[in-house]
């Protein structure tokens, strides 16, 4: 039963292989607004989706966005289930060792410590962060006590319900949350982390990375990338 | 859904709720219940087939096959099922592509494993990267079904192995005395009789399978847990329907769904058990015979 | 770093002793074995304590389920149904969400402040959920065993004039345990397997102190190779299962020691009771 199912699926699938134009599959998380999110109609949306589509249009590529868990991004990229990651991934020296980054499409921005009061203990207290992010790495090394969650919104929830003293995440992600909280959440401290956000590729995919690089440079030059940033990150955004 | 849903921020609470609950995202959430049911409907027979094979292998006269069968039936006892789910999908995916690569691209010179990367020739990619997203999702779903079937097939093999041994020896000997071959005894006497012994175990297995479906999201399928998580998390103004953290309510909904589904299954299975007991040489069958007489 | 040094640095990392930072590069098999083994301490902690506490509640529930009064029987039946009829994954999730809602500063009860914040921590909250869960499953086993106590045993007790609590303690309860023990062994094994869900579902890992699966996930994330850490977890669990089977068979032998050897219940592993 399973064999026939698979076999027929394979036959059906190989029919598509004939179309020579390969689709570039871009993975995103869908849980990190306004970088990437699932809108109320159930479609992927956000800054990175708009940007990715624009890059593909200019580079003449056929692209498709797929949603994937943050945890399994890298194994899936390496085994070829998709070709690009655009998921708010910060560029760091450590990450550069095992993947290729495009130039940043978000300026090197600051990460925020957000808490319910301005005197929260971020040096030795409990700080929440998403597993596998640069912020989690920073907290582990800072001497504070790291509390790890699978998704970004859980880290914020942990501060709101008193589980954690503070949360450390990208400023762009936390700013709207702080604005919406009506004073319940405040920014305690800001620190620069990483070299901005970029698209990640397999190390052998230099050609595709170069195409992305070229268009991003072009969009920075003509200012269209700033328009997109303004659209999604509102007026407080840091521009190029 | 409704015409007045165009601008949710102007609505009163009842209508807001109505619009909220019928947003595109929610429709996807509701349809993911179908995904779970579909997975159960497909996995159950496949797992049963795997289990049947495993039980037959464990009873085989060939020592190699027997060892394999016993090892398969024993594997789920020692290791938590979640461990298998963590790496089976990627292993299956790579094994399949590796096999296809050997078959379709024998002249390929680049290494498949290159550092961290696993790269096969484009013709061996499943599904090909130009395939529409729907095929990628179908493929992901198929991998999930196979993974579930392998793990729960091992449970089923345990149950069926026990059931095959529980069929009274005398029945098989009688069949042999009538001159039936091994194969015939197996097909005509052992298999039809074993179901009644296997049913309690298989019923249990079905309930276990239902309760294992929340792990589906581990295998990369967007199931009800994924959507409950996504919909329940607090939403800022970026979304049309901003709200706080509502996860508790969504998960309470899931709890009710699972309890109702379990109860329904229990009722159906107890009816089935009565049907199967009819005319059997068991206590239940005997009681039914007496009641009728 | 030699392997001995690694063991020294990380053997009790899951409890917060030893090296503060997890390894970041140049991962060795020794590191993986040590850290995952260190995480296993939590699996054993959850399994042993949940089983120990759950045993008592299970006995009470099994008895309550046999009660004539619906006021006693119905709640027990519902409790067992809810915990056996829903996925443990969802129970963990709801448990965590509910514990988080409890007032932070504790609850005033008869003038005493009862602190509740520890319930949101895995060591207490997850243990509590596992305790309720295993109690429900075990209660069902014990109830079944109680129903299977031979009528003759009770008649014999009556003939000797043993009644009331003495009859329960000396006749019913030991027989129930003896009959239910093989199934209870299965429950124990699958409870230990279920402990891997604790940090996986909703309880956050604190200071990077997690269970075996948490550290396996850490290594899989850092090395991009799931084929080494997860089988290591599997290996540890096989050892744990064998140990558990052995310990329970000792008890089984004691429970059956008055019977002729051919009538003793053998422990056969049947995966009938996982969640």
């Amino acid at each position: 039963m399973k064999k026939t199912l698979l076999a027929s699926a394979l036959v059906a699938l190989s029919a598509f292989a004939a179309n020579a134009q390969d689709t570039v599959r871009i993975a995103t998380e869908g849980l990190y607004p306004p970088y990437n999110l699932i809108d109320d109609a159930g479609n992927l949306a956000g800054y990175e989706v708009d940007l990715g589509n624009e890059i593909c249009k200019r580079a003449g590529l056929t692209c498709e966005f797929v949603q994937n868990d943050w945890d399994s991004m890298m194994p899936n990229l390496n085994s070829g289930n998709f070709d690009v990651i655009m998921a708010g991934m910060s560029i760091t020296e450590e990450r550069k060792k095992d993947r290729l980054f495009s130039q940043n499409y978000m300026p090197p921005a600051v990460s925020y410590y957000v808490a319910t009061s301005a005197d929260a203990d971020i040096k030795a207290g409990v700080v929440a962060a998403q597993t596998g992010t640069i912020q989690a790495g920073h907290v582990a090394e800072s001497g504070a006590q790291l509390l790890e969650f699978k998704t970004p919104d859980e880290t914020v929830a942990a501060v709101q319900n008193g589980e954690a003293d503070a949360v450390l995440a990208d400023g762009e992600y936390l700013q709207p949350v702080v604005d919406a909280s009506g004073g319940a959440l405040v920014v305690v401290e800001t620190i620069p982390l990483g070299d901005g956000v970029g698209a990640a590729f397999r190390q052998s995919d230099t050609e595709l990375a170069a195409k992305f690089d070229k268009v991003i440079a072009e969009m920075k030059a003509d200012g269209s990338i700033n328009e997109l940033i303004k659209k999604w990150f509102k007026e407080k955004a840091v521009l190029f | 859904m409704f015409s007045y849903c165009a601008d949710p921020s102007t609505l009163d609470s009842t209508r807001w709720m109505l619009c909220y609950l019928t947003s595109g995202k929610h429709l996807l959430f509701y349809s993911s219940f179908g995904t779970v049911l579909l997975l159960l409907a497909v996995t159950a027979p496949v797992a049963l087939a795997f289990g049947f094979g495993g039980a037959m292998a464990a009873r085989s006269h060939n020592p190699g096959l027997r060892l394999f069968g016993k090892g398969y039936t024993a594997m789920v006892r020692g290791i938590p099922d979640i461990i298998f789910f963590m790496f089976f999908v990627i292993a299956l995916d790579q094994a399949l592509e590796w096999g296809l690569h050997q078959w379709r691209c024998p002249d390929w010179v680049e290494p498949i494993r290159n550092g961290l990367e696993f790269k096969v020739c484009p013709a061996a990619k499943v599904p090909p990267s130009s395939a529409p997203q729907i095929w990628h999702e179908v493929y992901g779903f198929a991998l999930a079904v196979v993974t579930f079937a392998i793990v729960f097939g091992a449970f089923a093999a345990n149950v069926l192995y026990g059931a095959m041994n529980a069929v009274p020896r005398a029945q098989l000997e009688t069949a042999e005395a009538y001159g039936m071959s091994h194969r015939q005894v197996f097909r005509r006497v052992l298999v039809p009789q074993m179901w009644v012994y296997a049913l309690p175990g298989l019923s249990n297995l079905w309930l276990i399978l239902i309760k294992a479906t929340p792990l589906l999201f581990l295998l990369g399928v967007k199931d009800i847990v994924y959507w409950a998580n996504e919909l329940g998390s607090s939403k800022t103004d970026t979304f049309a329907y901003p709200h706080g953290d509502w996860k508790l309510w969504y998960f309470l909904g899931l709890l009710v769904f699972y309890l109702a589904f379990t109860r329904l299954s229990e009722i159906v299975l107890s009816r089935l058990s009565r049907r199967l007991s009819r005319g059997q040489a068991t206590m239940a069958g005997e009681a039914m015979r007496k009641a009728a007489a | 770093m030699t392997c001995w040094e690694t063991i020294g640095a990380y053997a009790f990392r899951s409890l917060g002793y030893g090296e503060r930072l997890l390894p970041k590069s140049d991962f060795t098999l020794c590191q993986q074995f040590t850290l995952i083994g260190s995480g296993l301490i939590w699996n054993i902690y959850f399994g042993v304590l949940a089983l120990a506490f759950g045993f008592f509640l299970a006995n009470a529930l099994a008895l309550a389920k046999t009660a004539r009064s619906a006021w006693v029987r119905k709640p027990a039946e519902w409790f067992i149904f809810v915990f056996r009829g829903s996925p443990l994954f969802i129970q963990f999730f709801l448990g965590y969400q509910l514990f988080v809602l409890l007032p932070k500063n504790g609850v005033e009860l008869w003038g005493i402040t009862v602190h509740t914040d520890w319930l949101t921590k895995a060591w207490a909250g997850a243990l509590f959920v596992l305790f309720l869960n295993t109690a429900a499953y075990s209660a069902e086993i014990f109830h079944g065993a109680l129903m299977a106590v031979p009528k003759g045993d009770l008649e014999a007790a009556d003939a000797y004039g043993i009644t009331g609590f003495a009859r329960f303690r000396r006749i019913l309860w030991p027989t129930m345990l003896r009959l239910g023990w093989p199934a209870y062994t299965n429950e124990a094994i699958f409870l230990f397997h279920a402990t891997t869900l604790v940090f996986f579902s909703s309880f956050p890992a604190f200071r990077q102190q997690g269970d075996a699966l948490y550290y396996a996930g850490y290594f899989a994330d850092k090395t991009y190779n799931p084929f080494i850490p997860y089988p290591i977890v599997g290996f540890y669990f096989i050892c744990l299962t064998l140990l558990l089977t052995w310990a329970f068979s000792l008890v089984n032998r004691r429970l059956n020691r008055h019977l002729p050897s051919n009538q003793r219940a053998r422990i056969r592993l049947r995966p009938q009771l996982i969640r």
Side-chain angles (χ1 to χ4, degrees):
Chain A
M1 163 112 190
K2 153 223 141 195
K3 284 226 178 85
T4 50
L5 197 99
L6 264 182
S8 57
L10 284 178
V11 170
L13 289 169
S14 36
F16 295 106
N19 311 339
Q21 169 82 57
D22 269 357
T23 310
V24 176
R25 292 166 56 77
I26 307 175
T28 195
E29 192 191 9
L31 294 172
Y32 207 54
Y35 281 97
N36 51 73
L37 55 115
I38 297 170
D39 67 13
D40 291 281
N43 301 316
L44 283 170
Y47 168 64
E48 285 170 324
V49 178
D50 280 359
L51 179 71
N53 287 332
E54 180 64 22
I55 292 173
C56 292
K57 203 173 89 189
R58 294 195 185 193
L61 299 164
T62 323
C63 290
E64 187 161 37
F65 266 90
V66 294
Q67 190 270 336
N68 199 84
D69 282 346
W70 177 255
D71 282 352
S72 60
M73 284 279 180
M74 283 308 292
N76 276 314
L77 178 74
N78 277 328
S79 58
N81 291 338
F82 40 73
D83 312 298
V84 189
I85 298 174
M86 291 179 80
M89 192 178 268
S90 303
I91 304 170
T92 64
E93 287 307 317
E94 196 191 335
R95 283 178 178 162
K96 273 185 193 164
K97 284 182 203 150
D98 54 44
R99 68 202 85 169
L100 212 58
F101 275 108
S102 71
Q103 54 174 285
N104 57 357
Y105 53 71
M106 275 302 278
V110 286
S111 292
Y112 287 5
Y113 279 103
V114 165
T116 45
S117 71
D119 56 357
D121 184 5
I122 57 168
K123 294 283 180 306
V126 180
V127 180
Q130 187 185 8
T131 310
T133 56
I134 54 167
Q135 284 86 7
H138 178 81
V139 175
E141 280 166 27
S142 73
Q145 308 180 47
L146 173 62
L147 191 65
E148 287 171 278
F149 291 89
K150 303 251 168 210
T151 58
D153 73 276
E154 282 171 300
T155 61
V156 177
V159 174
Q160 282 166 329
N161 60 39
E163 259 318 84
D165 297 325
V167 50
L168 181 63
D170 275 340
E172 281 82 7
Y173 170 72
L174 286 177
Q175 189 63 55
V177 177
V178 172
D179 292 345
S181 72
L185 292 175
V186 291
V187 179
V188 180
E189 200 178 297
T190 60
I191 46 161
L193 277 185
D195 302 328
V197 169
F201 306 84
R202 279 184 293 277
Q203 263 169 335
S204 59
D205 259 0
T206 43
E207 204 179 318
L208 187 63
K211 278 184 193 167
F212 268 63
D213 246 358
K214 191 166 153 272
V215 178
I216 294 172
E218 207 178 285
M219 289 180 72
K220 279 179 183 168
D222 68 14
S224 53
I225 202 163
N226 283 342
E227 292 305 310
L228 271 181
I229 293 176
K230 271 187 225 156
K231 174 184 166 196
W232 284 101
F233 295 92
K234 307 286 155 46
E235 64 279 357
K236 282 182 187 164
V238 189
L239 302 175
F240 281 106
Chain B
M1 195 81 170
F2 304 104
S3 53
Y4 51 78
C5 290
D7 187 6
S9 54
T10 59
L11 294 173
D12 58 75
S13 55
T14 324
R15 285 187 170 189
W16 188 91
M17 208 54 183
L18 211 61
C19 289
Y20 174 68
L21 288 177
T22 53
S23 70
K25 229 182 198 174
H26 273 86
L27 298 182
L28 286 173
F29 173 51
Y30 305 139
S31 66
S32 67
F33 283 90
T35 312
V36 169
L37 296 181
L38 183 69
L39 175 99
L40 284 171
V42 179
T43 308
V46 182
L48 201 58
F50 274 45
F52 200 79
M56 267 168 66
R59 281 171 60 92
S60 161
H61 294 294
N62 177 340
L65 203 58
R66 195 164 59 234
L67 192 71
F68 170 78
K70 296 255 181 190
Y72 179 55
T73 53
M75 99 184 172
V76 284
R77 288 176 189 162
I79 302 177
D81 49 356
I82 186 174
I83 303 292
F84 293 106
F85 292 143
M86 294 306 285
F87 68 100
F88 255 34
V89 167
I90 215 152
L92 277 174
D93 181 36
Q94 294 194 349
L96 190 67
E97 291 189 346
W98 187 84
L100 271 179
H101 178 89
Q102 302 298 331
W103 175 42
R104 287 203 179 147
C105 317
D107 309 325
W108 194 261
V109 283
E110 288 174 42
I112 294 185
R113 282 217 167 275
N114 181 7
L116 302 166
E117 292 174 26
F118 178 88
K119 198 174 184 184
V120 293
C121 67
K125 281 232 65 78
V126 190
S129 53
S130 58
Q133 176 60 15
I134 180 75
W135 283 106
H136 287 273
E137 278 174 22
V138 168
Y139 177 65
F141 188 77
L143 282 183
V145 167
V146 175
T147 309
F148 256 66
I150 291 174
V151 172
F152 288 95
F155 284 108
N158 263 305
V159 173
L160 294 180
Y161 181 74
M164 285 180 185
N165 286 343
V167 173
R169 229 8 254 145
Q171 301 253 4
L172 308 181
E173 279 163 7
T174 311
E176 276 163 13
Y178 272 100
M180 288 191 201
S181 70
H182 258 306
R183 215 170 260 259
Q184 283 173 322
V185 173
F186 182 73
R187 229 185 37 232
R188 295 189 190 167
V189 181
L190 185 67
V191 172
Q193 296 236 43
M194 74 173 196
W195 294 113
V196 72
Y197 298 101
L199 193 71
L202 290 180
S203 308
N204 230 317
L205 193 57
W206 170 252
L207 298 179
I208 290 170
L209 193 60
I210 293 175
K211 282 180 274 173
T213 51
L215 298 179
L216 201 56
F217 90 110
L218 276 189
L219 309 182
V221 176
K222 286 189 209 166
D223 70 335
I224 47 180
V225 175
Y226 170 82
W227 283 114
N229 231 329
E230 152 65 28
L231 288 164
S233 64
S234 55
K235 297 280 181 290
T236 56
D237 308 339
T238 319
F239 297 87
Y241 301 94
H243 60 73
D245 192 341
W246 287 358
K247 276 187 188 166
L248 186 60
W249 306 112
Y250 280 93
F251 275 83
L252 273 177
L254 293 194
L255 182 76
V256 171
F257 166 73
Y258 276 110
L259 288 178
F261 197 27
T262 306
R263 190 85 202 103
L264 187 75
S265 299
E266 279 176 357
I267 293 168
V268 171
L269 287 168
S270 72
R271 291 220 176 131
L272 192 67
S273 149
R274 285 192 37 196
R275 275 287 299 273
L276 278 183
S277 294
R278 200 177 291 162
Q280 287 285 351
T282 58
M283 217 157 89
E286 184 67 10
M288 282 170 92
R289 194 182 62 77
K290 278 193 182 139
Chain C
M1 218 200 250
T2 65
C3 194
W4 280 115
E5 283 166 13
T6 305
I7 292 176
Y10 290 116
F12 296 102
R13 178 60 181 80
S14 66
L15 303 178
Y17 299 106
E19 200 75 15
R20 210 175 72 82
L21 295 176
L22 297 184
K24 298 211 111 164
S25 54
D26 310 318
F27 301 97
T28 61
L29 261 183
C30 178
Q31 284 174 343
Q32 306 207 13
F33 264 103
T34 310
L35 258 178
I36 292 172
S38 160
L40 201 68
I41 297 172
W42 280 110
N43 296 96
I44 295 171
Y45 161 86
F46 285 124
V48 168
L49 288 189
L51 213 57
F53 295 137
F55 181 78
F56 294 100
L57 182 59
N59 277 301
L61 282 169
L63 274 183
K65 209 182 161 182
T66 58
R68 274 206 201 94
S69 154
W71 289 102
V72 182
R73 196 181 65 237
K74 281 288 168 195
E77 281 177 353
W78 269 98
F79 178 88
I80 294 174
F81 172 66
V82 167
F83 278 94
R84 288 183 77 235
S86 62
L88 179 62
F89 189 88
I90 308 264
Q91 290 166 21
F92 271 136
F93 200 96
L94 282 174
Y96 179 69
Q97 297 280 323
L98 283 173
F99 296 149
V100 159
L101 288 182
L102 292 174
K104 276 292 126 185
N105 300 325
V107 188
E108 287 282 336
L109 271 184
W110 304 291
I112 309 159
T113 316
V114 183
H115 284 282
T116 50
D117 50 342
W118 46 273
L119 265 176
T120 56
K121 307 283 186 293
W123 67 265
L127 181 63
F128 189 64
V129 175
L130 277 170
F131 151 70
L132 296 180
N133 185 282
T134 188
Y137 277 85
S138 312
E140 188 67 20
I141 294 170
F142 290 149
H143 178 254
L146 209 53
M147 295 285 101
V149 171
K151 208 165 71 177
D153 287 17
L154 299 179
E155 285 166 358
D158 286 343
Y160 278 102
I162 307 176
T163 53
F165 186 69
R167 189 178 75 156
F168 172 75
R169 195 176 58 82
R170 294 177 53 188
I171 314 285
L172 265 178
W173 195 68
T175 315
M176 173 196 91
L177 269 191
R178 182 169 63 82
L179 294 177
W181 201 255
Y184 189 59
T185 306
N186 273 305
E187 160 58 19
I189 289 171
F190 287 109
L191 175 73
F192 272 83
H193 288 189
T195 57
T196 50
L197 277 176
V198 170
F199 292 102
F200 200 79
S201 48
S202 40
F203 284 91
F206 185 53
R207 281 186 273 190
Q208 297 184 310
Q209 300 166 8
D211 74 335
L213 188 61
Y214 170 83
Y215 288 116
Y218 176 82
F219 283 116
D221 183 45
K222 292 285 174 194
T223 62
Y224 310 116
N225 184 355
F227 301 116
I228 293 172
Y230 293 120
I232 292 177
V233 182
F235 164 77
Y236 275 124
F237 266 93
I238 289 175
C239 297
L240 192 60
T241 307
L242 291 175
L243 195 71
L244 213 62
T245 317
W246 173 76
F248 271 72
S249 72
L250 284 188
V251 180
N252 191 48
R253 203 178 303 158
R254 190 176 157 75
L255 287 170
N256 282 288
R257 70 190 186 284
H258 60 290
L259 292 175
S261 62
N262 59 348
Q263 285 180 19
R264 287 181 189 171
R266 298 261 315 277
I267 292 189
R268 290 204 22 242
L269 286 171
R270 266 163 303 170
Q272 305 228 332
L273 287 151
I274 72 158
R275 33 191 67 73

